[in-house]
Amino acid sequence: MQAAAWRAAYEGVLPEAALEPFDPEVLAAGWGHAIEHPPTERHAVLVACAGPEPVGFAAVVPAQDPDLVESDVELSILVVSPAEQRRGHGSRLLAAAVEHARGAGAGTVVMWVLEPDRPLREFLESAGWAADGARRELELDERGEQRVRQFRLHTDTGAGAPDA
């Protein structure tokens, strides 16, 4: 699912070499371990299903950016199978990720978005997320000749806010 969604979203945007390294068996083993053995309460892998079949997932991890506070978390990935998009799975995963962050005491959730990924940016913005001004570049090849810019979006979880 991750490999297919990544290719569908970024083919023609990222160089072919950046789309190739996905070995489904290696990915599945890595995600299985992350699900079964989260290192902290702020780590979580959330799965969306259509009946018994998984159709999407999201991963929440502690934020590593030096300008954020220790309790903040990052939505490191949000993937929905291309055949299952526009059926509410992404919205439910996003809401569950923010709820998980709130329950773990995080006040802010951030996500780094590739600059050319307009659909993801618009999806997050429609859910109330906003750019916070942080930007970075990722090197896509070993020589550093191919780069892609990212910007960071964020949302407030409401953790610690008085109940209404």
Side-chain angles (χ1 to χ4, degrees):
M1 175 183 3
Q2 180 181 2
W6 183 262
R7 184 165 287 284
Y10 299 119
E11 194 164 40
V13 174
L14 297 178
E16 185 62 29
L19 300 173
E20 290 176 2
F22 291 104
D23 179 335
E25 290 181 22
V26 172
L27 285 174
W31 285 116
H33 182 77
I35 290 167
E36 294 173 10
H37 306 287
T40 72
E41 69 172 356
R42 289 187 294 150
H43 285 82
V45 177
L46 308 161
V47 179
C49 293
E53 295 299 315
V55 296
F57 70 97
V60 178
V61 299
Q64 300 296 312
D65 299 325
D67 63 322
L68 299 174
V69 298
E70 186 177 331
S71 63
D72 290 342
V73 299
E74 178 177 339
L75 181 59
S76 64
I77 190 166
L78 175 66
V79 171
V80 175
S81 171
E84 293 291 330
Q85 292 177 358
R86 304 233 179 257
R87 296 183 181 178
H89 301 298
S91 296
R92 287 188 292 278
L93 284 168
L94 189 61
V98 172
E99 182 60 32
H100 170 79
R102 181 183 306 114
T108 301
V109 182
V110 299
M111 184 172 199
W112 286 97
V113 177
L114 294 173
E115 194 170 72
D117 192 348
R118 189 177 189 109
L120 179 57
R121 184 185 79 228
E122 289 174 354
F123 170 70
L124 292 170
E125 289 173 344
S126 74
W129 292 53
D132 65 8
R135 295 188 177 280
R136 67 184 183 188
E137 280 192 350
L138 294 179
E139 292 181 2
L140 301 175
D141 64 349
E142 294 162 3
R143 294 184 305 259
E145 295 173 355
Q146 294 182 314
R147 298 172 181 250
V148 63
R149 292 179 58 181
Q150 290 184 304
F151 58 93
R152 192 174 67 196
L153 296 172
H154 75 284
T155 193
D156 185 343
T157 69
D163 291 333

